[in-house]
Amino acid sequence: MSEVEPATVGILTEPFLYEWQVRAIERLQDETDITVSLVVQNVTDTECEAESWNTKQRLGLDDVTQFFEVFRQEKAWTLVLAERNIARLLGDKQTLWHRHSVENVDCLDETEHVQCVPETENGWNELPDDVVSRLEAECDVAIRFGFGLVRGDVLTAPKYGVLSFHPADIRRYRGMGPPAIFHDGQARAGSTLQRLNESIDGGEIVAYDDVSLADCHTLWDVFDRLATLQISLLTSGITSLRDPTFEPQTIPDEQLGEFYYRDQRRTVSFSGRVLAKNLAGRVRHGLERARSSEETDRRSSPLSK
């Protein structure tokens, strides 16, 4: 019997993978016979000691310096990011966003790793010819977990192209995704696994699903909810590509959603609303936990029996 394609997968990544990305790869390996045949690592990212993000317990001078560096670029949005970091110090583990140096990821330890310096122009990255040739020869499909905006021959080098997640429905929220969804108070949100072309969040839809945001108190809860969805969506999407009757969905330009530029989140009005909702959500979540704890204590009390 002939081998079902795609059978080999390449990973495009930064020097680290997030926890949810590792789990997505592990699930793909556990539930299919697909082999991860090549890891292409962007070595222009100088992120060092990726795991140090996972256990940070206090603020230091470096954090203050970084705050002002980020503020120059992100403006008011820096306050939203600062709230997230403070929450981490107060016990919000955010485990799905823990970072793992690629060389420390067990499910990739038998896969060949290739270091890559892309050519960057106007925010787009093109991979060098030798790396593109290897992806073409060794991978049926590639998964983009790094390298930012990618264009050029790499998009068509693997037979089934390059897949990438957008944590929103590209027919409604392109660009920022979750921040705009949370800002607008949507009750549900989805994630799109798309086969990339040289547009931004306008590729063919390989897989899509959505979830309720009813109990998401903060923007970071929304990110977690969608990351959890993506862990299973990767396997679903690649499994669909293995079905010879499956055709990815092409979305006409006029049906693509509004594009939310990052500059929008840097405004005081946008950032202020998100920050206020985050703080209110944390208070509400704390009250709910307190009431739940009190109810548990009351039910377990001998006087209630």
Side-chain angles (χ1 to χ4, degrees), residues 140-205:
D140 296 324
V141 66
I143 303 165
R144 189 198 69 86
F145 285 143
F147 285 91
L149 296 175
V150 178
R151 69 181 182 187
D153 292 341
V154 66
L155 298 181
T156 54
K159 180 178 179 180
Y160 294 88
V162 177
L163 307 185
S164 177
F165 283 108
H166 177 59
D169 186 344
I170 62 174
R171 294 158 294 194
R172 297 190 65 188
Y173 285 95
R174 295 161 65 221
M176 277 194 293
I181 292 167
F182 183 69
H183 175 276
D184 291 352
Q186 296 293 341
R188 299 186 68 84
S191 185
T192 307
L193 181 63
Q194 56 182 327
R195 180 153 61 193
L196 294 178
N197 55 28
E198 291 192 354
S199 65
I200 302 177
D201 299 334
E204 297 172 303
I205 297 177

Side-chain angles (χ1 to χ4, degrees), residues 88-155:
R88 286 178 53 221
L89 295 175
L90 296 176
D92 187 352
K93 301 300 183 183
Q94 302 173 14
T95 54
L96 289 177
W97 302 96
H98 281 188
R99 299 174 178 180
H100 303 281
S101 299
V102 174
E103 59 269 21
N104 295 334
V105 176
D106 290 343
C107 64
L108 300 177
D109 61 1
E110 296 183 2
T111 304
E112 184 173 358
H113 294 226
V114 174
Q115 295 190 335
C116 174
V117 178
E119 180 179 335
T120 302
E121 182 179 6
N122 297 325
W124 289 89
N125 290 304
E126 293 191 37
L127 275 59
D129 291 344
D130 59 331
V131 174
V132 172
S133 295
R134 291 203 60 177
L135 286 165
E136 182 177 20
E138 301 177 34
C139 306
D140 296 324
V141 66
I143 303 165
R144 189 198 69 86
F145 285 143
F147 285 91
L149 296 175
V150 178
R151 69 181 182 187
D153 292 341
V154 66
L155 298 181

Side-chain angles (χ1 to χ4, degrees), residues 21-22 61 72 100 104 107 126 146 171 195 201 233 239 254-255 274 302:
Q21 295 169 336
V22 173
L61 181 59
R72 280 194 288 270
H100 303 281
N104 295 334
C107 64
E126 293 191 37
R171 294 158 294 194
R195 180 153 61 193
D201 299 334
L233 204 60
T239 299
E254 64 272 15
Q255 294 181 22
V274 171

Side-chain angles (χ1 to χ4, degrees), residues 257-277:
E258 179 181 354
F259 195 91
Y260 291 81
Y261 291 90
R262 287 191 175 187
D263 281 349
Q264 293 173 258
R265 75 184 188 184
R266 295 165 181 150
T267 64
V268 172
S269 59
F270 189 100
S271 297
R273 178 172 174 78
V274 171
L275 180 59
K277 291 186 68 174

